[in-house]
Amino acid sequence: MKSDDLSARLRPFETAGDRRVPPGFHMVARLDGRGFSRLTKERMPGLERPFDVRVRDMMIDTCRHLMQCGFSVVYGYTQSDEISLLFHPRERAFGRLLRKYHSILAGEASAKFSLLLGEPVCFDCRVAELPDVDRVVEYFRWRADDAARNCLGAHCYWALRAAGRSEGEATAALAGLGPEGRHELLFRSGTNFADLPLWQRRGVGLVWVHIGDERPRISPDLALPMRGDYDAYVRARLAESTREAPGDTTHEPIVQPQR
Ligand SMILES: Nc1nc2c(ncn2[C@@H]2O[C@H](COP(=O)(O)OP(=O)(O)OP(=O)(O)O)[C@@H](O)[C@H]2O)c(=O)[nH]1
Ligand SMILES: [Mg+2]
């Protein structure tokens, strides 16, 4: 049998499930580290709990890498072991073929973080297809609210552990305790939630900075605005990306991929 015949017969079996994101939908990829609870506990000795700047900075570097690996990412966001990437509204890399986004981004994130850590690490990737700008704004509000909820829960948990409770006791004490009770618990243990660093409470944004004729660079924002101000901030990231080249329908990556 000729190999052309085999290709024609077999290619459909691997492409039958392929799907492209339709034009007009906003794309946001979210990557999440696999088994980071165990990884941070067993393979990164000496980390501060619940947050350590070394993990934060490795996630920032990984996010920065993803923003420069051949796609047009207008805003990056990271909290805990996750990264969200907002693509240019006219992103057209790989003809918007989802399989390419899932596999390449997960691969690039895993490779980058593994090099930073010196151990194999794996990320998964999913892509949200959002019908309008309001949904994009809600998406990033959702992730930042999730960061705040996790931050509160994690600080409470470690406050209980520091007070001598076992893993099971600390988990049981927090189960069924709402946000108010958790704020109170943390306060009684000597920490005011509002005094914790903003990067722990809200996560970190990565934005493009354009200065004169210089090559645009990526700057981490460790003090993201809250509530309505953050909504406006996310809208601004989209607005400035579409201002760059009005009417451009052949959008190319904002910067060339790093070699
Ligand atoms: N010590 C420490 N741990 C961290 C830090 N950032 C993230 N982690 C850990 O990473 C975990 C991330 O949560 P998940 O993604 O839900 O847990 P996971 O083990 O990665 O589970 P899967 O994503 O389902 O594979 C947190 O629960 C922490 O245990 C950090 O700055 N310091
Ligand atoms: Mg994870």
Side-chain angles (χ1 to χ4, degrees), residues 4-15:
D4 279 0
D5 294 344
L6 280 176
S7 177
R9 276 205 303 118
L10 294 174
R11 190 73 71 194
F13 288 109
E14 61 179 22
T15 53

Side-chain angles (χ1 to χ4, degrees), residues 94-167:
F94 303 105
R96 297 165 76 89
L97 196 55
L98 266 178
R99 138 171 86 80
K100 287 289 192 182
Y101 290 75
H102 291 149
S103 56
I104 292 173
L105 291 167
E108 292 280 357
S110 306
K112 179 67 184 180
F113 200 98
S114 298
L115 284 176
L116 291 168
L117 182 63
E119 291 219 30
V121 173
C122 174
F123 281 81
D124 70 13
C125 177
R126 69 199 69 189
V127 173
E129 301 163 48
L130 302 162
D132 50 40
V133 175
D134 286 349
R135 247 38 63 190
V136 172
V137 167
E138 279 178 0
Y139 172 93
F140 283 97
R141 177 83 87 100
W142 170 42
R143 297 329 297 159
D145 287 353
D146 183 77
R149 197 171 37 250
N150 288 340
C151 175
L152 178 60
H155 273 284
C156 285
Y157 176 84
W158 287 105
L160 290 166
R161 294 298 305 278
R165 306 279 195 96
S166 69
E167 277 181 33

Side-chain angles (χ1 to χ4, degrees), residues 32-36 81:
D32 189 286
R34 184 179 186 200
F36 265 49
D81 68 338

